Amino acid sequence: GRLERFEVPRAKPDFNASDEDAPLGPAVERDPETIETLGEFITESEEGLDRCDQILMGIESGAQDPDAINALFRVFHTIKGVAAFVEVTEAQSLAHTTETLLAKSRDGKLDLVTTPGALDVVFESVEAMRAQISAARRAVEASRGFMRSPGLPGLLGRLEAVIRGEVPPPSAPRAR
């Protein structure tokens, strides 16, 4: 089943090509059960993030409803819990903070559309989580450790600003 998705790539990656090909962590050994669990986490997270994109586009076009916010919350809640279990700590941290913002929205204390920067920072969270999941996939496939995301502290700060009711600072431009 799922293990063939995690074969070691045959060609050497070009680490300068894009963010998707950033360097990986140190070599690690994982037992087959851990690889399978990580594979399921990665696959389920990717599917959840695809749903988030659809939901957020609906919210952006005015289709905000409690079910949409609950669906977003559940995706991040699931990623948070499983990321903690498989020790993908940065994904856990991002999911936890995004989940906190979505809980405020779900509880009627924050409107994603009218709160300055809120919807943008949730879109940014989905994009950052997708990058973290992609990096986790590459790390598992290459039997490497998980690397730190240099942009994560800034994103967490923007999420926390919205949670506190502040306008988040702009995101830093991505280096290319």
Side-chain angles (χ1 to χ4, degrees), residues 149-166:
S149 301
L152 184 62
L155 175 54
L156 293 174
R158 288 187 296 286
L159 284 162
E160 290 165 357
V162 172
I163 291 166
R164 289 188 305 267
E166 301 168 4

Side-chain angles (χ1 to χ4, degrees), residues 56 59 64 69 72 101-102 105 110-120 122 162:
L56 287 169
I59 290 171
Q64 185 171 353
I69 303 300
L72 287 172
L101 186 151
L102 293 169
S105 180
L110 181 148
D111 185 298
L112 287 181
V113 175
T114 62
T115 302
L119 193 59
D120 290 339
V122 175
V162 172

